[in-house]
Amino acid sequence: DSSKTENINEIILDTAEELLKVNSFSEVTLAKIAEKANISKGTLYYYYKSKNEILFAVYRPLLLSRQ
């Protein structure tokens, strides 16, 4: 179901953004993102293979708006 997929993706990115506002990049782990988002690490890895991928996805809209 694509709406569920989009929702989980939004939850992941919103959670990562929240954590990055109050923690350094090195302090934010995929396990912390999964825990705070109430999803399994396996689900998180299904959507993103690394913390760098998540960081890029969080900040991509900002980077695109500056062009």
Side-chain angles (χ1 to χ4, degrees), residues 6 8 26 34:
E6 288 174 20
I8 293 172
S26 62

Side-chain angles (χ1 to χ4, degrees), residues 34 39-49:
I39 61 172
S40 70
K41 285 193 287 183
T43 298
L44 180 65
Y45 279 104
Y46 175 79
Y47 288 88
Y48 296 97
K49 302 300 179 227

Side-chain angles (χ1 to χ4, degrees):
D1 181 85
S2 67
S3 64
K4 182 178 179 184
T5 298
E6 288 174 20
N7 188 39
I8 293 172
N9 191 50
E10 279 184 48
I11 290 168
I12 292 169
L13 296 181
D14 290 346
T15 302
E17 187 173 5
E18 282 178 40
L19 288 170
L20 288 165
K21 285 179 181 176
V22 295
N23 299 285
S24 70
F25 182 69
S26 62
E27 292 173 319
V28 176
T29 64
L30 292 174
K32 285 182 183 178
I33 295 169
E35 181 182 343
K36 188 157 174 67
N38 290 320
I39 61 172
S40 70
K41 285 193 287 183
T43 298
L44 180 65
Y45 279 104
Y46 175 79
Y47 288 88
Y48 296 97
K49 302 300 179 227
S50 71
K51 199 166 56 166
N52 289 338
E53 278 188 31
I54 294 173
L55 181 70
F56 183 74
V58 166
Y59 290 107
R60 187 172 191 264
L62 176 67
L63 295 172
L64 291 175
S65 70
R66 293 179 157 224
Q67 290 182 352

